[in-house]
Amino acid sequence: MLIISQTVSLSDDEIEITYIRAQGAGGQNVNKVSSAVHLRFDIQASSLPDFYKERLLALKDSRITKEGVIVIKGQQFRTQEKNRDDALSRLQEVIKSVGVVQKARRATKPTKASQRRRVDGKTLRGKTKSMRGKVQM
């Protein structure tokens, strides 16, 4: 069971995990042992609340397919268990990131003093640059 928050959790049968051979260097271990993990999670068919589903499907993430399936490949470690835990934790992070609601931004006006400081700085910079010109006689 993958716990997302206090109220939201995913059962193990919703997450499809297959073991494959890892890519890259590693000698005989890579050729013989299927230590990499291929994790698939179908957003539409899951038991997640609609709020999570909508926000996940709206995400612009390369790990989410057009069909709404999150695909995560874990091959960082040499053992199946570590790769499996890594993939599950990355899935958990993706789902948790969607659950955080951004605070609404309120537009504010700059203060008179800050506007004055900005203009003073610009005029000072302009004077410095004007002094760099050719000397006129």
Side-chain angles (χ1 to χ4, degrees), residues 66-108:
K66 292 175 186 167
E67 295 80 33
V69 177
I70 299 176
V71 179
I72 296 176
K73 187 174 182 182
Q75 62 177 9
Q76 188 176 357
F77 302 101
R78 287 178 63 98
T79 62
Q80 274 185 358
E81 295 79 29
K82 283 186 180 179
N83 283 328
R84 181 177 176 275
D85 293 341
D86 179 46
L88 287 171
S89 67
R90 286 195 280 156
L91 174 67
Q92 189 178 27
E93 286 174 19
V94 169
I95 298 172
K96 275 185 178 181
S97 71
V98 171
V100 177
V101 179
Q102 291 288 323
K103 198 165 72 170
R105 185 186 180 280
R106 257 184 284 144
T108 57

Side-chain angles (χ1 to χ4, degrees), residues 9 12 17 26-27 31 49-51 56 62 64-65 86 90-91 95 100 102 106 110 117 122 128 131-132:
S9 61
D12 293 333
I17 296 176
N31 299 330
D50 291 334
F51 167 77
L56 277 171
S62 61
I64 302 174
T65 64
D86 179 46
R90 286 195 280 156
L91 174 67
I95 298 172
V100 177
Q102 291 288 323
R106 257 184 284 144
R117 282 193 302 269
K122 287 171 83 71
T128 305
M131 299 297 278
R132 293 181 188 159

Side-chain angles (χ1 to χ4, degrees), residues 3-72:
I3 298 168
I4 307 301
S5 68
Q6 292 177 346
T7 57
V8 180
S9 61
L10 297 172
S11 62
D12 293 333
D13 58 329
E14 293 183 57
I15 303 167
E16 180 187 327
I17 296 176
T18 53
Y19 296 101
I20 55 175
R21 289 194 189 130
Q23 295 175 331
Q28 280 187 349
N29 193 52
V30 169
N31 299 330
K32 290 165 48 177
V33 182
S34 297
S35 60
V37 173
H38 205 252
L39 182 142
R40 295 176 65 85
F41 175 70
D42 190 0
I43 299 168
Q44 304 277 17
S46 69
S47 64
L48 284 173
D50 291 334
F51 167 77
Y52 281 94
K53 288 182 184 180
E54 291 169 10
R55 308 252 337 241
L56 277 171
L57 292 170
L59 262 184
K60 300 287 186 213
D61 196 330
S62 61
R63 297 174 289 191
I64 302 174
T65 64
K66 292 175 186 167
E67 295 80 33
V69 177
I70 299 176
V71 179
I72 296 176

